[in-house]
Amino acid sequence: LLSVPFTQLYSQTAAPLTVPGKMDWWRKARLGMFIHWGVYAVPAGQYKDQEIGGLGEWIMHDASIPRRDYEQYAKQFNPVKYDAEAWVRMAKEAGMKYIVITAKHHDGFALFDSKASDWNVVKATPYGKDLLKPLVEACRRQGMKLGFYYSQANDWFNPGGAAARGHWDPTQQGSMDEYIEQVAAPQVRELLTQYGDVVELWWDVPTDMNRQRADKLAALLSLQPGIITNDRLGGHYNGDITTPEQYIPATGIAGRDWETCMTMNDTWGFKTNDNNWKSAATLIRNLVDIASKGGNYLLNVGPTAEGEFPRPIVERLQAIGKWTAVNGEAIYGTTASPFHQLPWGRATQRKEGKETTLYLHVFAWPKGGQLLVPGLAGAFSSARLLSNGKTLTCKTTADGLVIDVPLTAPDPVAAVIALHTTAP
Ligand code: FHN
């Protein structure tokens, strides 16, 4: 949408709400699930028998669909296969520690029973039930943290909402101040008072947001004092986390908590014909790369209009879960690598008092049975393979630490060796 990352789009100075320790769980979590779901899953990338390019959730905008036409899709939105328990279970089994779902995206459609606008799942669809409540209950039962994405400025349906590249339907026109007052602020209040603990408020695309409008929405965050917000509200707010989108910062983002959000294919919202899937290996290595730089990975799922995760997404979640089940200790609760770079992979670390565990994530397994960690010296009390707990011998050399390793990679995607030391 924008040629520059949001971090460069505007500079803010306002400090986020700070509750001591509110980031602690988040910094340990490392991996979350993004869910982009809404009426746009009905056309799923097609309009008037034409394939519409671009993002699935942008179809109303990209095909300039008049409000009255787009409203017909809501009449077909009936996610009878929606199973919130199953969604949360798949996220949990993948090793995801929190979920952020689009409560309302740019098309203005609310997935919840909002009194601020009838353009919502209860009033405008045959399904007729709040979609967030079952997810809240499933998350509570399964111990999963839940946050909401809310498009605070772009709203292509409720009059007065902004449109990043200009309106196309005269009925979209209206006062943005009245939209903020009558729709956005009341809906954010509904989300922060009617759905239990909300761990993240994920603002997005702050078109035409000024300080006064941003202040009105930011003031509502005090309803959930421990809530984490991002850098996309607009005005002068930088929130708690920076949000690189579809890319991993080369060396992390110094001095900021950050969360790379990414799709598994090329679209956030479901499209029938978007089959450009990243491999599970790529997604796992992205997780490792992000954790090695001290960031979080918010990996997207775009459910179908019937309420199901597409099969390629289910398969990738299962593969990620298989890897995190074995290697999770090298991700969760770790901090960034002490190395500038490593020729064969990445590293993370965990410090507990005088104990340090260094996790070596090996992408390119060495030939010849020896792994060199350049420049690493010091007394390591143990070295073990996470895949099978096997102890490995290691010795310090002039070039660094040499570890005797099996001839074949225990895990072709990322095999992890844990080095333990009490040396300072
Ligand atoms: O326009 C949105 C887009 O639809 C999607 O929600 C992404 C997710 O980060 N955010 C905006 C594009 O930057």
Side-chain angles (χ1 to χ4, degrees):
L1 174 67
L2 294 163
S3 57
V4 292
F6 279 88
T7 44
Q8 300 163 27
L9 187 69
Y10 46 86
S11 63
Q12 307 78 31
T13 54
L17 270 180
T18 49
V19 167
K22 82 168 181 179
M23 298 303 295
D24 292 353
W25 75 266
W26 189 90
R27 291 171 182 152
K28 292 187 176 83
R30 289 286 173 252
L31 177 60
M33 178 183 276
F34 216 170
I35 300 177
H36 275 69
W37 197 28
V39 161
Y40 42 75
V42 172
Q46 314 218 319
Y47 179 59
K48 292 187 175 173
D49 298 327
Q50 294 288 317
E51 186 71 32
I52 306 297
L55 298 170
E57 69 283 5
W58 271 75
I59 189 166
M60 183 182 178
H61 178 284
D62 293 345
S64 300
I65 303 175
R67 283 170 77 248
R68 288 295 155 239
D69 287 4
Y70 193 76
E71 207 169 12
Q72 301 314 308
Y73 291 128
K75 294 186 168 57
Q76 302 166 50
F77 186 71
N78 189 14
V80 291
K81 293 181 181 172
Y82 174 47
D83 178 350
E85 288 291 343
W87 285 18
V88 176
R89 189 168 51 249
M90 283 189 276
K92 195 167 180 179
E93 288 173 358
M96 293 165 158
K97 304 300 181 185
Y98 60 106
I99 293 173
V100 178
I101 186 168
T102 53
K104 189 207 79 167
H105 204 268
H106 306 334
D107 63 357
F109 179 74
L111 269 62
F112 60 100
D113 183 12
S114 172
K115 299 294 176 281
S117 165
D118 285 349
W119 179 232
N120 70 64
V121 66
V122 174
K123 295 282 186 359
T125 77
Y127 188 74
K129 292 177 287 184
D130 188 304
L131 291 166
L132 298 187
K133 285 203 185 310
L135 191 62
V136 166
E137 283 145 28
C139 285
R140 191 177 298 133
R141 272 193 289 273
Q142 298 189 46
M144 176 69 70
K145 295 181 184 298
L146 182 63
F148 295 133
Y149 166 113
Y150 188 81
S151 176
Q152 74 281 9
N154 277 271
D155 187 318
W156 307 326
F157 199 93
N158 293 296
R165 296 185 215 129
H167 292 115
W168 58 91
D169 179 331
T171 63
Q172 293 170 317
Q173 302 294 339
S175 152
M176 184 155 179
D177 288 325
E178 286 180 13
Y179 162 75
I180 296 284
E181 183 74 25
Q182 293 164 17
V183 178
Q187 288 190 333
V188 171
R189 176 179 292 278
E190 287 171 327
L191 291 170
L192 299 184
T193 55
Q194 297 172 17
Y195 295 90
D197 287 343
V198 180
V199 295
E200 265 196 40
L201 203 294
W202 219 95
W203 309 109
D204 202 8
V205 191
T207 305
D208 299 340
M209 283 299 286
N210 59 30
R211 179 170 193 140
Q212 180 248 340
R213 291 165 183 162
D215 285 347
K216 188 175 285 293
L217 296 177
L220 295 167
L221 296 172
S222 59
L223 292 164
Q224 296 252 357
I227 199 165
I228 292 166
T229 64
N230 68 6
D231 56 350
R232 301 190 179 192
L233 171 56
H236 56 305
Y237 289 92
N238 62 3
D240 305 294
I241 59 174
T242 295
T243 52
E245 178 168 322
Q246 301 285 34
Y247 75 97
I248 300 168
T251 56
I253 300 176
R256 282 284 287 176
D257 287 296
W258 56 277
E259 179 185 70
T260 278
C261 57
M262 194 178 282
T263 54
M264 290 195 195
N265 51 4
D266 291 333
T267 178
W268 303 91
F270 178 71
K271 287 183 83 173
T272 309
N273 297 328
D274 182 329
N275 294 302
N276 185 27
W277 298 101
K278 299 174 183 73
S279 68
T282 296
L283 300 174
I284 291 165
R285 288 186 177 181
N286 284 346
L287 170 62
V288 171
D289 186 26
I290 289 166
S292 77
K293 294 164 179 170
N296 281 16
Y297 194 22
L298 191 63
L299 188 53
N300 185 72
V301 169
T304 65
E306 294 74 28
E308 292 187 299
F309 289 179
R311 188 75 212 145
I313 287 180
V314 173
E315 289 165 355
R316 282 153 180 78
L317 291 174
Q318 289 169 341
I320 293 166
K322 199 162 164 240
W323 189 87
T324 52
V326 171
N327 303 290
E329 72 169 89
I331 298 289
Y332 308 120
T334 63
T335 52
S337 170
F339 301 101
H340 175 61
Q341 65 176 16
L342 290 164
W344 35 255
R346 302 292 186 273
T348 54
Q349 60 180 320
R350 178 193 307 280
K351 289 182 179 302
E352 284 155 337
K354 288 191 176 152
E355 313 276 318
T356 300
T357 303
L358 201 51
Y359 295 101
L360 310 177
H361 303 253
V362 185
F363 298 168
W365 195 254
K367 296 179 176 41
Q370 289 199 321
L371 180 77
L372 169 67
V373 186
L376 184 61
F380 288 91
S381 52
S382 73
R384 66 187 160 88
L385 274 174
L386 290 196
S387 56
N388 57 17
K390 185 171 180 299
T391 300
L392 305 174
T393 56
C394 43
K395 57 182 175 293
T396 301
T397 71
D399 296 325
L401 188 75
V402 172
I403 306 171
D404 297 323
V405 296
L407 288 174
T408 53
D411 182 319
V413 175
V416 182
I417 296 169
L419 290 177
H420 188 76
T421 177
T422 53

